[in-house]
PDB file of all heavy atoms in Angstrom:
ATOM      1  N   ILE B  92      80.421  96.594 -78.262  1.00 98.00           N
ATOM      2  CA  ILE B  92      80.996  96.436 -76.921  1.00 98.00           C
ATOM      3  C   ILE B  92      80.924  94.959 -76.561  1.00 98.00           C
ATOM      4  O   ILE B  92      79.841  94.362 -76.598  1.00 98.00           O
ATOM      5  CB  ILE B  92      80.206  97.247 -75.880  1.00 98.00           C
ATOM      6  CG1 ILE B  92      80.088  98.713 -76.319  1.00 98.00           C
ATOM      7  CG2 ILE B  92      80.827  97.136 -74.508  1.00 98.00           C
ATOM      8  CD1 ILE B  92      79.257  99.568 -75.365  1.00 98.00           C
ATOM      9  N   ALA B  98      75.089  91.705 -67.915  1.00 96.00           N
ATOM     10  CA  ALA B  98      74.464  92.992 -67.640  1.00 96.00           C
ATOM     11  C   ALA B  98      75.543  94.051 -67.670  1.00 96.00           C
ATOM     12  O   ALA B  98      76.727  93.745 -67.536  1.00 96.00           O
ATOM     13  CB  ALA B  98      73.784  92.971 -66.275  1.00 96.00           C
ATOM     14  N   SER B 135      76.028 108.683 -53.445  1.00 90.00           N
ATOM     15  CA  SER B 135      74.945 107.744 -53.730  1.00 90.00           C
ATOM     16  C   SER B 135      75.378 106.309 -53.519  1.00 90.00           C
ATOM     17  O   SER B 135      76.554 105.967 -53.631  1.00 90.00           O
ATOM     18  CB  SER B 135      74.480 107.921 -55.164  1.00 90.00           C
ATOM     19  OG  SER B 135      74.025 109.233 -55.332  1.00 90.00           O
ATOM     20  N   THR B 178      89.283  87.588 -79.672  1.00 97.00           N
ATOM     21  CA  THR B 178      88.794  86.217 -79.641  1.00 97.00           C
ATOM     22  C   THR B 178      88.313  85.913 -78.233  1.00 97.00           C
ATOM     23  O   THR B 178      89.016  86.209 -77.266  1.00 97.00           O
ATOM     24  CB  THR B 178      89.920  85.243 -80.027  1.00 97.00           C
ATOM     25  OG1 THR B 178      90.547  85.732 -81.206  1.00 97.00           O
ATOM     26  CG2 THR B 178      89.378  83.852 -80.270  1.00 97.00           C
ATOM     27  N   TRP B 264      93.618 105.489 -43.084  1.00 94.00           N
ATOM     28  CA  TRP B 264      93.138 106.804 -42.659  1.00 94.00           C
ATOM     29  C   TRP B 264      91.653 106.919 -42.969  1.00 94.00           C
ATOM     30  O   TRP B 264      91.236 106.722 -44.108  1.00 94.00           O
ATOM     31  CB  TRP B 264      93.895 107.904 -43.389  1.00 94.00           C
ATOM     32  CG  TRP B 264      95.295 108.083 -42.892  1.00 94.00           C
ATOM     33  CD1 TRP B 264      96.430 107.586 -43.459  1.00 94.00           C
ATOM     34  CD2 TRP B 264      95.704 108.804 -41.731  1.00 94.00           C
ATOM     35  NE1 TRP B 264      97.523 107.944 -42.710  1.00 94.00           N
ATOM     36  CE2 TRP B 264      97.108 108.693 -41.638  1.00 94.00           C
ATOM     37  CE3 TRP B 264      95.034 109.521 -40.740  1.00 94.00           C
ATOM     38  CZ2 TRP B 264      97.855 109.281 -40.619  1.00 94.00           C
ATOM     39  CZ3 TRP B 264      95.772 110.106 -39.727  1.00 94.00           C
ATOM     40  CH2 TRP B 264      97.158 109.986 -39.668  1.00 94.00           C
ATOM     41  N   ASP B 398      92.265  91.679 -57.778  1.00 86.00           N
ATOM     42  CA  ASP B 398      93.520  91.222 -58.369  1.00 86.00           C
ATOM     43  C   ASP B 398      93.988  92.297 -59.336  1.00 86.00           C
ATOM     44  O   ASP B 398      93.397  92.469 -60.394  1.00 86.00           O
ATOM     45  CB  ASP B 398      93.299  89.920 -59.169  1.00 86.00           C
ATOM     46  CG  ASP B 398      92.639  88.851 -58.313  1.00 86.00           C
ATOM     47  OD1 ASP B 398      92.697  88.985 -57.083  1.00 86.00           O
ATOM     48  OD2 ASP B 398      92.073  87.898 -58.875  1.00 86.00           O
TER      49      ASP B 398
END
Side-chain angles (χ1 to χ4, degrees):
Chain B
I92 307 177
S135 300
T178 312
W264 286 99
D398 306 341

